[in-house]
Amino acid sequence: MAASGGTKAVVAALAANLTIAVFKFVAWAMTASSSMLAEAIHSVADSGNQVLLLVGGKKARREADAEHPFGYGRERYVYSFIVSIVLFSVGGLFALYEAWQKFQHPHGIEGKWWWVPLAVLIGAIIAESFSFRTAIIESNLVRGGQSWSKFIKTAKAPELPVILLEDLGALIGLVLALCGVSLTLLTGNGIWDAAGTACIGLLLVAIAIVLAVETKSLLLGESATAEHVKLISAAITVKGAKLIHLKTLHLGPEEILVAAKVSVPQDATGAQIADAIGDAEARIRAAVPLKCVIYIEPDIFGAVDKAAAHTTERA
């Protein structure tokens, strides 16, 4: 569900941004507004980012091979990290550079096309609102009772948080651009246009940093959610089994690696141990709605405690 929902949100955002970018470039060509140029580049950067997310999703579906035995699921994280870099450099830094240039040589918006930026920005706000609405609807299907900030921080599928932050940033940026252009038209002072551009740049840099931090954590390897870890532990510790330790790792948004050491009775036969492990794997897969790669290591009940005691005595 998360993958299909994320793809739907990405496609909706891509369609909106490509259309908006064209109109923003037209408005910039007619008025030389730096806010319009910054917003146009912002839309181009967002469109490129959405293409990257789609490419990453496609590459992540490749089957595991000898070189990558656990598959390519984490490739979605790689492309999401690239998105944060593009947003920071192409979107944020360009807008700040354009603002600096405009502060050095401010000029108002004149001529018969003065109204074009206002019309484009208002239309863009409407279009971006529909894209943002789609991202919210798709996110609500998997968000559960989490707050929005916690959802963005803990989500294992990167597409929805990326699109949510991009669309939110786009809407705020459009409002900032509208304020800058409006004040420039009212006062005839291009400083307001430059100020709007600078605010857009700072906004994009901040969003890019948040995305980079969260995606870096996924790239390094995050464990399963606390809820899933609890379900896995419960699935293992039945029929007197004792969980010695458990480690989990997301191999991709919808796949986790489960490694556990479990105690077994000292008099258990090899067949009994094999059956117990098979049953535990089946219970884990039934309890967790994700694809699981499971490795369970049996140990003799009490052996770990005895080894720890022996080490203490020697010390």
Side-chain angles (χ1 to χ4, degrees), residues 152-154 209-219 222:
I152 290 171
K153 184 176 179 61
T154 62
I209 290 173
V210 172
L211 286 177
V213 169
E214 296 304 326
T215 310
K216 185 196 76 170
S217 179
L218 292 170
L219 277 172
E222 288 189 356

Side-chain angles (χ1 to χ4, degrees), residues 2-3 6-7 10 53 56-57 60 73-81 83 139 151-152 154-166 211 214-216 218-219 252-254:
T7 300
V10 171
L53 291 176
R74 293 173 74 177
E75 192 142 18
R76 286 163 69 179
Y77 302 151
V78 174
Y79 277 83
S80 297
F81 188 77
V83 163
S139 297
F151 171 69
I152 290 171
T154 62
K156 305 304 181 183
E159 291 83 3
L160 286 173
V162 168
I163 294 300
L164 279 169
L165 287 175
E166 279 193 348
L211 286 177
E214 296 304 326
T215 310
K216 185 196 76 170
L218 292 170
L219 277 172
E254 285 89 33

Side-chain angles (χ1 to χ4, degrees), residues 11-262:
V11 171
L14 176 60
N17 279 309
L18 286 175
T19 303
I20 292 170
V22 173
F23 286 105
K24 287 177 180 176
F25 274 119
V26 171
W28 167 70
M30 289 181 171
T31 62
S33 166
S34 65
S35 291
M36 292 309 304
L37 179 58
E39 275 298 310
I41 297 299
H42 179 188
S43 293
V44 171
D46 281 354
S47 299
N49 288 342
Q50 282 127 31
V51 171
L52 286 171
L53 291 176
L54 293 173
V55 171
K58 182 177 181 180
K59 286 182 173 291
R61 290 193 291 270
R62 289 179 293 173
E63 295 294 329
D65 52 34
E67 187 175 3
H68 297 89
F70 291 108
Y72 293 83
R74 293 173 74 177
E75 192 142 18
R76 286 163 69 179
Y77 302 151
V78 174
Y79 277 83
S80 297
F81 188 77
I82 295 173
V83 163
S84 68
I85 297 173
V86 172
L87 191 63
F88 179 85
S89 56
V90 178
L93 294 186
F94 178 84
L96 291 174
Y97 170 79
E98 181 63 21
W100 174 254
Q101 293 295 315
K102 190 63 178 284
F103 276 123
Q104 300 299 308
H105 308 285
H107 59 80
I109 300 174
E110 302 174 350
K112 62 180 180 179
W113 302 113
W114 62 268
W115 55 272
V116 172
L118 297 177
V120 169
L121 288 170
I122 292 172
I125 289 173
I126 295 172
E128 201 69 60
S129 296
F130 281 106
S131 174
F132 191 40
R133 178 176 176 272
T134 300
I136 290 174
I137 291 173
E138 296 302 324
S139 297
N140 280 333
L141 296 176
V142 296
R143 183 169 65 98
Q146 299 179 93
S147 65
W148 286 107
S149 60
K150 186 175 181 180
F151 171 69
I152 290 171
K153 184 176 179 61
T154 62
K156 305 304 181 183
E159 291 83 3
L160 286 173
V162 168
I163 294 300
L164 279 169
L165 287 175
E166 279 193 348
D167 284 353
L168 178 61
L171 280 172
I172 296 174
L174 287 167
V175 172
L176 291 172
L178 184 61
C179 291
V181 170
S182 298
L183 289 171
T184 299
L185 289 171
L186 289 172
T187 64
N189 190 343
I191 290 295
W192 292 109
D193 192 21
T197 306
C199 289
I200 293 169
L202 292 173
L203 172 70
L204 295 181
V205 167
I207 291 175
I209 290 173
V210 172
L211 286 177
V213 169
E214 296 304 326
T215 310
K216 185 196 76 170
S217 179
L218 292 170
L219 277 172
L220 289 175
E222 288 189 356
S223 66
T225 63
E227 178 185 359
H228 286 164
V229 170
K230 185 176 180 180
L231 290 173
I232 293 168
S233 299
I236 293 175
T237 54
V238 298
K239 299 180 180 179
K242 181 180 179 182
L243 179 62
I244 299 172
H245 67 71
L246 171 67
K247 292 184 179 181
T248 62
L249 177 70
H250 264 271
L251 302 174
E254 285 89 33
E255 184 176 13
I256 57 173
L257 172 67
V258 179
K261 177 175 280 191
V262 182

